[in-house]
Amino acid sequence: MLILGIESSCDETAAAVVRDGQELLSNVVSSQIATHLPYGGVVPELASREHLRAIVPVVREAASRAGVCLEQVDAFAVTQGPGLAGSLLVGITYAKALSFALSKPLIAVNHLEGHIHAVLLEHQESRNTDIPLPALALVVSGGHTHLYIVSGSKATQWNYQNVGHTLDDAAGEAFDKVAKLLALSYPGGPIIEALAKHGNPHAIAMPRSQIKVHEKKKAQRVDPQPRRYDFSFSGIKTAVLRFVETHAMQDSIEKRRRELARVPNPKPEDFVPHLDQLALDLIASFQEAVVTDVVSKTLRAAGDFEVESLIISGGVASNERLRSEFVKQAEREGIKTFFPSRGLSTDNAAMIAAAAYPKLLAHDFATEHFSAEASLALG
Ligand code: KG4
Ligand code: ZN
């Protein structure tokens, strides 16, 4: 069974062809990083326009690289949400048109379920076994820091229960905002990871992330269950800002912003000569604080829920420091850890096609009236 997946929820236009939910035939991702770089974050109007430009060539390229024509595809799958409404609509409208024109079923996929399935796709492709359940899945990206208990008897029937999420910024968003504050490039995660290697992660004390009383109350109004596994990154981000102010770093930041603006497509090594040791230590200490917080809360939940395995996915899951800390600590607890490859950690359509496969088997198809859901929840 061939599924062509389409993903356009944020700043990546992507299409992929996956056979039987586990064999990746093609995976095309057209990134909009260059468009959003000058703004240090995604500009929704520009994102929709770029998706409109890219969607047709990206889908054609995915079919061509897979060596199939669109008529041979058994179903189309598309991200319904969560994400930017205007961006989601571009993918959905095109997927609907393809499904209608070629009389093929259309499957709506939750982007978060897609991230989780990226791990299963590669795991099955390489080992052809199931991931031991119950599992705890962490989706850690620019839009989410969410924990789910994954249960079910087989990979084709997974259920999700949300047990924790961020009450303010997502972890990736904190990377992006700190990178913008320090005049580094966008997205913030990869540049901070590269520069952190030059700094001392223990040089600057960062606050342990604390959830403020009013945030706890707000969360409990929505969900009266006490949530021990919620995240908060705004305190760490504010600590970086305070450090910059109290150590009079603004002038050197503005100087760096001006100098790097002249370098086309600056690489991490281009930044190093423009950063003093204090700035590099700040970058390393920030990354360490986020990693420590994410790993400790996730492992606390994993222990309390007595899961067999951990599934870590989303853009921030490509961070090597995060990966090594997870592997080290989970191993100590006897919990197996599964990550997608770096390429499938960030947004892609292979994960959408993979997550659609159980729905294809169950004939769980979208109607022609379904639309984008910017705040679509999972579990
Ligand atoms: O999953 P993704 O591509 O898109 C969303 O669904 O948000 O994740 C993008 C996020 C960005 O915030 C980016 O800064 C972060 O993932 N990211 C990283 C790394 N690579 C990407 N964060 C930390 N370390 C990285 N190596
Ligand atoms: Zn994502």
Side-chain angles (χ1 to χ4, degrees):
M1 290 285 218
L2 293 177
I3 300 182
L4 188 142
I6 295 176
E7 153 65 36
S8 68
S9 65
C10 191
D11 59 346
E12 247 94 49
T13 319
V17 179
V18 175
R19 178 179 283 134
D20 296 339
Q22 52 178 285
E23 192 188 341
L24 186 54
L25 300 188
S26 67
N27 184 26
V28 178
V29 180
S30 165
S31 168
Q32 302 178 1
I33 285 176
T35 305
H36 303 291
L37 187 82
Y39 307 96
V42 178
V43 183
E45 291 79 6
L46 297 183
S48 320
R49 196 186 67 191
E50 292 300 309
H51 285 305
L52 271 174
R53 275 201 198 141
I55 191 88
V56 175
V58 163
V59 168
R60 284 196 186 142
E61 181 70 18
S64 136
R65 281 196 208 169
V68 299
C69 57
L70 292 174
E71 286 77 9
Q72 287 170 278
V73 167
D74 293 290
F76 293 97
V78 65
T79 306
Q80 180 177 17
L84 301 169
S87 295
L88 289 163
L89 269 177
V90 176
I92 291 173
T93 309
Y94 190 50
K96 277 186 183 178
L98 286 171
S99 141
F100 179 73
L102 299 167
S103 304
K104 306 280 179 176
L106 179 61
I107 299 162
V109 174
N110 185 309
H111 181 83
L112 299 167
E113 186 171 18
H115 273 302
I116 296 171
H117 270 264
V119 182
L120 184 64
L121 161 66
E122 290 185 313
H123 179 74
Q124 290 191 322
E125 199 173 35
S126 61
R127 275 173 272 180
N128 202 21
T129 56
D130 287 338
I131 290 175
L133 297 181
L136 179 68
L138 167 70
V139 181
V140 61
S141 68
H144 298 88
T145 312
H146 278 47
L147 283 171
Y148 299 94
I149 300 294
V150 182
S151 56
S153 50
K154 293 174 85 191
T156 46
Q157 296 152 359
W158 278 7
N159 303 308
Y160 308 92
Q161 183 201 349
N162 179 235
V163 292
H165 59 85
T166 179
L167 299 179
D168 40 59
D169 293 340
E173 194 179 357
F175 273 91
D176 296 338
K177 286 181 177 171
V178 165
K180 188 175 178 181
L181 169 70
L182 298 178
L184 309 176
S185 57
Y186 173 82
I191 181 87
I192 286 181
E193 176 173 13
L195 294 174
K197 296 193 176 87
H198 300 269
N200 175 357
H202 306 294
I204 298 161
M206 291 280 153
R208 283 183 60 88
S209 101
Q210 275 181 355
I211 297 169
K212 295 189 192 88
V213 174
H214 74 271
E215 281 169 342
K216 215 180 254 173
K217 283 196 179 137
K218 200 171 72 185
Q220 283 175 0
R221 270 201 299 275
V222 183
D223 179 354
Q225 291 279 351
R227 317 258 301 191
R228 294 188 58 221
Y229 319 108
D230 284 338
F231 298 91
S232 167
F233 298 103
S234 68
I236 298 174
K237 185 192 66 189
T238 308
V240 174
L241 177 63
R242 291 281 165 276
F243 191 90
V244 164
E245 287 168 354
T246 53
H247 292 76
M249 295 169 84
Q250 287 99 330
D251 288 349
S252 64
I253 290 175
E254 286 319 311
K255 185 162 172 263
R256 179 162 61 247
R257 209 182 292 284
R258 283 193 304 275
E259 286 170 351
L260 268 301
R262 291 191 222 117
V263 183
N265 301 321
K267 308 257 172 321
E269 52 274 26
D270 296 324
F271 284 85
V272 178
H274 298 274
L275 289 152
D276 57 20
Q277 198 54 46
L278 191 66
L280 291 166
D281 287 349
L282 181 60
I283 290 167
S285 301
F286 161 77
Q287 173 177 270
E288 195 63 15
V290 174
V291 166
T292 304
D293 187 62
V294 169
V295 173
S296 65
K297 285 218 179 91
T298 305
L299 281 166
R300 193 202 300 162
D304 290 354
F305 287 101
E306 298 181 359
V307 298
E308 299 277 330
S309 44
L310 276 180
I311 299 173
I312 318 289
S313 62
V316 185
S318 56
N319 185 291
E320 283 303 331
R321 180 78 196 100
L322 185 89
R323 284 180 182 236
S324 63
E325 205 51 30
F326 260 126
V327 171
K328 191 174 83 189
Q329 296 202 27
E331 230 166 56
R332 220 182 281 150
E333 308 288 328
I335 301 170
K336 293 193 181 67
T337 315
F338 300 92
F339 296 95
S341 61
R342 271 177 170 247
L344 290 196
S345 296
T346 46
D347 287 350
N348 64 85
M351 67 187 200
I352 302 302
Y357 181 60
K359 297 184 201 304
L360 175 60
L361 295 182
H363 287 237
D364 181 3
F365 300 133
T367 69
E368 66 201 74
H369 302 296
F370 101 97
S371 192
E373 274 201 45
S375 314
L376 188 64
L378 177 66

